[in-house]
Amino acid sequence: MSEQRDSEGYGIRDEETRPEASPIPHSPVPPSLTTFGPCTLSNLGPGFDALGVCITGPGDRVTAYVTDTPGVTVEPGGDLPTDPATNTAARAAAHLLRQSGARGGLALRIEKGIPLGSGIGGSAASAVAGAWAANEALGLGLDKRQLVEAVLEGEAATGSRHGDNVLPALFGGAVLVDAADPSRYRRLAIPDGLRLAVLLPEVRVLTHEARAVLPKTVPHADASAQAAALAFLLDALRAGDWEAAGRAVMTDRLAEPFRAPLVPVYGVVRRAALDAGSLGCALSGSGPALFAFPDASGRAEPVLAAMRAACAASGTGATGWIADLDAEGVRTLTP
Amino acid sequence: MSEQRDSEGYGIRDEETRPEASPIPHSPVPPSLTTFGPCTLSNLGPGFDALGVCITGPGDRVTAYVTDTPGVTVEPGGDLPTDPATNTAARAAAHLLRQSGARGGLALRIEKGIPLGSGIGGSAASAVAGAWAANEALGLGLDKRQLVEAVLEGEAATGSRHGDNVLPALFGGAVLVDAADPSRYRRLAIPDGLRLAVLLPEVRVLTHEARAVLPKTVPHADASAQAAALAFLLDALRAGDWEAAGRAVMTDRLAEPFRAPLVPVYGVVRRAALDAGSLGCALSGSGPALFAFPDASGRAEPVLAAMRAACAASGTGATGWIADLDAEGVRTLTP
């Protein structure tokens, strides 16, 4: 089967060699749209596997073309798998394509703005961008609640159908998820005004390693303390009580104590944030990303500066930014 | 030292035998007031040691008399200890008396409306009634937030300074408590309209036995599920989503599975509540009390009737009632 390249460099199949006619009219430069999947903080403090928030910052872009070849194809590039089974964007899009019963297919170009293994939901950002791109490009008109299954299915390409990144990335804001059944979730109302310092040290944490270091059992007292801390965090966030929320994110007995050793700069960066007045600092996801609440006067900039400096002093490069809550979640980029 | 009885039958010391003059004027029938400490549901579903709510129903009454004898004395009666160190009402009152620096003392008469070992906060009801009686009788004018230490100190007479009964009994409504430091708490706003069926089987559960059956460690997955369930419960209660709240109270991996065997009728009563359409049913405290959410149409009466019938069919007597949330907490009874 011969291929040609369109002006964007994307491989499309030659119409002449298609075995069947398609209901979708062929055009030499197919119409496309680009979606943006935002980054997310997950495992928020005591919210292991349960609580994630969508924040401003880097994200993944997916450009989708409607094709007349059935199925979803991924433009090769970077480290990303092109097999739809193991590519979160393609898997989410393929789920919707199947569900819709549409003939024809989708070709996706994925631009990773979030490094893999960063702890801020890179695979989820691609999954939601892929699902949204399919929804828009195929004209399915589904609302975001109707995309939950597709984004969970997309995330499952990583080997784990967890919802604490994909659901906040889909809806925006904060989302509580039932790990045992991630199709059960609650969107949480959080007042405006929270700003966070986010630091992404140049350390890669492998998700399966981060899972492997978790203990099989924990003390009963730690389990009850964790539950109470998550409840405090939830209520403090809802009330806009950043001081109590910051204190609550520092309580994690189920993940952070075991995962911190995988991030060599964890201790110095966290210490620096707190010394700079941050109300609370913790790992996001399984790290290496760390986020920190601002100081009591609401300033996040000095906190970020201190985190950057501590990381640099340890000889580790890092990207950092001040994040707001992203209330919108996945979206189409206006051309 | 001779004693006389006032018209209420309470023993007061004879003025003539007092060794020191008192600044509090003596009167043959000393002024008194009576306070009401309400019952509370605690360990609410996944809220082990963390979440309690104040409900309508039985409560304890404390009548306080100002005396010119220093310290707090308790009128003997029932099973209650009269030593202020081990009587929750007296201990709470003594704390306030010491704190206030007032000369003279207090004599307390305690009427238990809540059986001990019932799981609906009997010791806490007395503690808050004792604290409130001291506050009012001594004219201290403290607001409820200023009584937190006193009621925790009162509850400590049971051997455990836990806050998940005393704090809701003090403030009314629902309260989240940090078990490690119960002076940290958050009062939760819950919309009106929740009605619960409460059944108190005639079975006594000893708190220390209920503690002893808890395992030292729990699976990591149970700990994270518990935390998420408590977060779901909190948000569902806040939103008035009784269906989700009912489902969430059925998830408890830290206490109920281990304590249920101490309440022989647990299984049949819970099954009966659910079969009658209840959205969720669980133990309160360490039992034997069980509470149940109403059915999907909001009716709690058929649920209570089914629970009663199941308990009776097992040959166990029980008291039951339909409870509303008590938003007021401890209060002075108007004469």
Side-chain angles (χ1 to χ4, degrees):
Chain A
M1 212 180 277
S2 70
E3 285 199 349
Q4 61 184 56
R5 295 267 155 190
D6 71 4
S7 62
E8 297 287 311
Y10 184 74
I12 52 169
R13 292 184 184 279
D14 185 337
E15 169 78 357
E16 299 313 301
T17 62
R18 256 186 324 102
E20 292 172 13
S22 156
I24 302 171
H26 174 73
S27 97
V29 181
S32 72
L33 59 84
T34 300
T35 61
F36 178 79
C39 61
T40 42
L41 305 176
S42 60
N43 290 348
L44 210 69
F48 174 71
D49 268 4
L51 181 60
V53 295
C54 187
I55 58 168
T56 59
D60 291 354
R61 286 174 165 73
V62 170
T63 301
Y65 302 82
V66 174
T67 68
D68 40 21
T69 308
V72 175
T73 54
V74 177
E75 176 177 6
D79 298 337
L80 290 179
T82 55
D83 178 358
T86 54
N87 178 300
T88 63
R91 188 156 161 159
H95 179 91
L96 286 171
L97 186 63
R98 270 197 312 280
Q99 188 189 60
S100 71
R103 291 163 75 178
L106 284 169
L108 305 181
R109 180 195 311 138
I110 302 165
E111 296 164 84
K112 292 295 293 179
I114 304 175
L116 291 174
S118 58
I120 54 168
S123 61
S126 288
V128 298
W132 192 246
N135 185 48
E136 297 287 291
L138 298 170
L140 305 181
L142 301 173
D143 74 23
K144 287 187 173 180
R145 287 169 301 177
Q146 296 172 300
L147 297 178
V148 166
E149 193 51 40
V151 300
L152 288 171
E153 179 61 22
E155 184 76 301
T158 64
S160 161
R161 200 181 127 91
H162 65 277
D164 51 337
N165 288 108
V166 276
L167 296 187
L170 175 65
F171 291 115
V175 182
L176 188 63
V177 188
D178 179 346
D181 176 4
S183 68
R184 281 198 176 146
Y185 61 90
R186 297 187 72 85
R187 299 177 60 187
L188 306 174
I190 297 182
D192 288 338
L194 178 60
R195 304 181 73 218
L196 297 168
V198 182
L199 192 79
L200 190 46
E202 286 170 5
V203 174
R204 184 160 174 181
V205 174
L206 298 174
T207 305
H208 68 269
E209 271 183 27
R211 289 263 156 196
V213 297
L214 299 180
K216 293 269 183 292
T217 61
V218 295
H220 191 278
D222 284 352
S224 59
Q226 182 91 357
L230 180 53
F232 267 75
L233 174 59
L234 215 69
D235 192 61
L237 286 175
R238 186 196 54 73
D241 180 350
W242 311 137
E243 189 164 345
R247 194 187 303 125
V249 298
M250 306 270 284
T251 303
D252 179 2
R253 314 273 182 96
L254 297 187
E256 190 155 311
F258 310 102
R259 289 172 164 181
L262 301 179
V263 184
V265 296
Y266 166 84
V268 293
V269 170
R270 186 167 179 266
R271 185 71 264 152
L274 299 177
D275 287 347
S278 169
L279 297 171
C281 178
L283 286 180
S284 172
S286 46
L290 289 114
F291 67 94
F293 276 66
D295 64 22
S297 67
R299 289 176 311 157
E301 288 77 3
V303 172
L304 179 60
M307 293 166 79
R308 276 184 193 282
C311 198
S314 297
T316 302
T319 312
W321 69 98
I322 304 290
D324 294 308
L325 254 59
D326 177 336
E328 189 179 359
V330 67
R331 52 197 172 261
T332 304
L333 295 176
T334 45
Chain B
M1 213 181 277
S2 70
E3 284 200 351
Q4 61 184 56
R5 294 266 155 190
D6 70 4
S7 63
E8 296 287 312
Y10 183 72
I12 54 168
R13 293 185 182 279
D14 185 336
E15 170 78 357
E16 300 312 303
T17 62
R18 260 191 316 106
E20 293 173 11
S22 157
I24 301 173
H26 174 73
S27 95
V29 181
S32 73
L33 60 84
T34 301
T35 60
F36 177 79
C39 60
T40 41
L41 304 176
S42 61
N43 289 349
L44 210 70
F48 175 71
D49 270 4
L51 181 60
V53 296
C54 188
I55 58 167
T56 60
D60 290 354
R61 286 174 164 73
V62 170
T63 301
Y65 302 83
V66 174
T67 68
D68 38 22
T69 309
V72 175
T73 54
V74 177
E75 176 179 4
D79 298 338
L80 290 179
T82 55
D83 177 357
T86 54
N87 178 299
T88 62
R91 188 155 161 161
H95 179 90
L96 287 171
L97 186 64
R98 271 198 311 280
Q99 188 190 60
S100 71
R103 292 162 74 180
L106 284 169
L108 305 181
R109 182 196 311 139
I110 302 165
E111 296 164 84
K112 292 296 293 179
I114 305 175
L116 292 173
S118 59
I120 55 168
S123 61
S126 288
V128 298
W132 192 246
N135 185 47
E136 295 289 290
L138 297 169
L140 304 180
L142 301 172
D143 73 24
K144 287 187 173 180
R145 287 169 301 178
Q146 295 171 301
L147 297 178
V148 166
E149 193 50 39
V151 301
L152 288 170
E153 180 60 21
E155 185 75 302
T158 63
S160 162
R161 199 180 128 90
H162 64 278
D164 51 337
N165 288 110
V166 278
L167 297 186
L170 175 65
F171 291 116
V175 182
L176 188 63
V177 188
D178 180 346
D181 176 4
S183 68
R184 281 199 177 145
Y185 62 90
R186 296 187 74 85
R187 299 176 61 187
L188 305 174
I190 297 183
D192 289 338
L194 179 59
R195 304 182 71 220
L196 297 168
V198 182
L199 191 80
L200 191 48
E202 286 171 4
V203 175
R204 185 160 173 180
V205 174
L206 298 175
T207 305
H208 68 269
E209 271 183 25
R211 289 262 157 197
V213 298
L214 299 179
K216 294 267 182 295
T217 61
V218 294
H220 192 277
D222 284 352
S224 58
Q226 182 91 358
L230 180 54
F232 268 75
L233 174 59
L234 215 71
D235 191 62
L237 286 175
R238 186 196 55 72
D241 180 349
W242 311 137
E243 189 164 345
R247 195 187 302 125
V249 298
M250 306 270 284
T251 303
D252 179 3
R253 314 273 182 98
L254 297 186
E256 191 155 310
F258 310 102
R259 288 173 165 180
L262 301 179
V263 183
V265 296
Y266 166 85
V268 293
V269 170
R270 185 167 178 267
R271 186 71 263 154
L274 299 177
D275 287 348
S278 169
L279 297 171
C281 177
L283 287 180
S284 171
S286 45
L290 288 115
F291 67 95
F293 276 66
D295 64 22
S297 67
R299 290 177 312 158
E301 288 78 3
V303 172
L304 179 60
M307 294 167 79
R308 275 184 193 282
C311 199
S314 298
T316 302
T319 312
W321 68 98
I322 303 290
D324 293 309
L325 254 60
D326 177 336
E328 190 181 357
V330 67
R331 51 196 172 263
T332 303
L333 295 176
T334 47

